[in-house]
Amino acid sequence: MNPASTDGDTRRSFLAVEDARRAILDALSPIAGRERVSVRTALGRVLAEDIIAPYNVPAHDNSAMDGYAVRAADLAPGGDTPLVVVGTAYAGRPFSGITGAGQAVRIMTGATIPQGADTIVVQELARREHDTVYIPAGQKPGQNLRHAGEDLAEGGVALAAGTRCGPAELGLIASLGIAEVCVRRRLRVAILSTGDEIASIGQALGPGQVFDSNRYTLYGTLSRLDCELLDLGVIPDRPEALEAAFREAAEAADVIITSGGVSVGEADFIRDMMSRLGEVSFWKLAIKPGRPMAFGRIGDAVLFGLPG
C-alpha cells in the first residue's frame, strides 16, 4: 500500500469536529444538584426553581411623578381649576385623610395615591398660591399613576427556573423581599497535567522539561465560567499515579480535563486508563493541531483528554 493510501485510511478514522461536538453534547446532562444561597451569592448562578412573587409590584397604587393628587371629576374642561391643598403624601408616609371634592394633595414620587384621588398632575404644570393650587385644563383621568401589580402580580412568575442571575435579577429578587433562592449547584471540574516532562512553576527545569502552562490556561477559562475547580496538579507518567488521580477526580467532579498523555507514544497512558476505568467515545479528531483529543467517561464524570 502506498503512503498516500495509508494516510487516507488513517484520516477516515478521525472524527470530524462537528461530529465530535454532537457526540459530546449527546453525552452531557444538566447538573441535578441544587442548593439554597443568599441573594448576594446568587450572582452568576442558575435558578433551580421559579421565583414566585409573594406581593404585587408595585405593592400599591402610587404616583409616578412629583405633583398633586386630584379627582378628575373636579377638573374643568377649560381654564384653570382651583383646588384646596389639604395635605402631603410622601413615599413611605401616606396621606391619611380623604381627598374630597374641590381638594388636592401634594404628592411625591412613589407615594401611595390618597383615598378619593385618581389623577396626578405634575408639579411643573400646576400653579400654587398659598393653600390653593390651580390645575390647567387638558389633564387626562388616571394620568401619572402606577397601579398595584402593574410590573408583577402577586402569585406570578417573577423569574423562571433556568434563569442565570445577573445584577438586574438580584435587584428584582430583593424587591420581592426574598432573602434566599434555590440554585443549581456549580459544575465541579477537576484539572490536571500529565507527563514527566512537565515542571511546576517555581521549580528549576530539568533536562528536557517545560513549565506547566496549560493548567493555568484551563484554570483561567474555567474560573470565568464560575465552575468549582479541583486542581490536581502535575501527575507523573506512572500508571499507578494516574489511576489514583483519575479515581479521585471521578469521585469528586462532574468533569475531568487532562492536559497531555493522549497521543500514541509509549508513555501516553490516558486513553488506556480511560478504557480500563470507564469508556472512550473517541480519541482522534480531524484537526491540526489538537488531533489526539480523547473524550469519554469514568464513573459519573465525563473526561476530556487534551493534548499537551
Side-chain angles (χ1 to χ4, degrees):
M1 183 176 293
N2 62 44
S5 62
T6 300
D7 186 58
D9 289 343
T10 302
R11 288 182 180 177
R12 279 195 292 271
S13 67
F14 297 156
L15 191 63
V17 172
E18 285 305 315
D19 292 337
R21 189 193 307 274
R22 282 192 293 270
I24 291 171
L25 292 175
D26 288 343
L28 301 180
S29 58
I31 296 297
R34 54 181 62 189
E35 57 185 350
R36 295 198 70 80
V37 299
S38 69
V39 173
R40 286 178 182 266
T41 55
L43 183 64
R45 305 296 295 275
V46 176
L47 293 176
E49 298 176 351
D50 292 342
I51 300 294
I52 304 300
Y55 314 103
N56 285 326
V57 179
H60 45 73
D61 292 350
N62 68 91
S63 177
M65 306 289 287
D66 289 346
Y68 293 88
V70 303
R71 294 161 27 114
D74 289 339
L75 302 180
D80 292 346
T81 300
L83 300 171
V84 177
V85 180
V86 294
T88 302
Y90 299 94
R93 280 191 292 152
F95 176 70
S96 59
I98 298 175
T99 309
Q103 295 180 338
V105 175
R106 180 81 167 97
I107 194 166
M108 307 305 173
T109 302
T112 300
I113 304 300
Q115 185 177 350
D118 58 14
T119 299
I120 304 298
V121 179
V122 297
Q123 63 184 9
E124 291 83 359
L125 297 179
R127 178 169 55 88
R128 178 82 177 261
E129 293 182 5
H130 304 294
D131 290 337
T132 301
V133 63
Y134 294 87
I135 307 299
Q139 309 303 315
K140 296 180 180 180
Q143 68 184 19
N144 301 316
L145 293 184
R146 294 185 295 210
H147 296 284
E150 184 175 298
D151 295 334
L152 189 61
E154 179 180 350
V157 176
L159 292 169
T163 300
R164 186 177 295 276
C165 292
E169 286 74 18
L170 295 193
L172 175 56
I173 294 168
S175 76
L176 297 172
I178 297 173
E180 292 185 339
V181 294
C182 187
V183 296
R184 297 286 185 186
R185 70 164 176 80
R186 287 189 175 95
L187 183 71
R188 297 173 184 146
V189 183
I191 58 176
L192 58 96
S193 294
T194 69
D196 293 334
E197 78 279 13
I198 304 299
S200 297
I201 59 174
Q203 297 179 346
L205 286 177
Q209 286 192 315
V210 295
F211 285 118
D212 181 16
S213 59
N214 287 359
R215 190 160 48 92
Y216 291 88
T217 302
L218 290 171
Y219 176 87
T221 301
L222 293 166
S223 294
R224 285 183 172 183
L225 298 177
D226 199 29
C227 297
E228 186 177 323
L229 294 178
L230 172 63
D231 189 346
L232 298 182
V234 179
I235 310 300
D237 280 331
R238 294 197 301 273
E240 65 277 7
L242 281 171
E243 181 170 345
F246 275 24
R247 290 189 183 278
E248 177 186 354
E251 290 177 1
D254 307 298
V255 178
I256 307 167
I257 302 178
T258 70
S259 172
V262 292
S263 67
V264 293
E266 291 183 1
D268 293 334
F269 305 119
I270 300 297
R271 183 167 55 92
D272 292 340
M273 190 72 66
M274 290 173 64
S275 297
R276 187 152 50 84
L277 300 180
E279 59 184 39
V280 181
S281 297
F282 60 82
W283 69 282
K284 291 186 291 185
L285 297 182
I287 59 172
K288 279 188 176 183
R291 178 177 292 174
M293 193 201 97
F295 174 75
R297 184 177 292 276
I298 296 178
D300 292 330
V302 294
L303 188 145
F304 296 87
L306 307 181

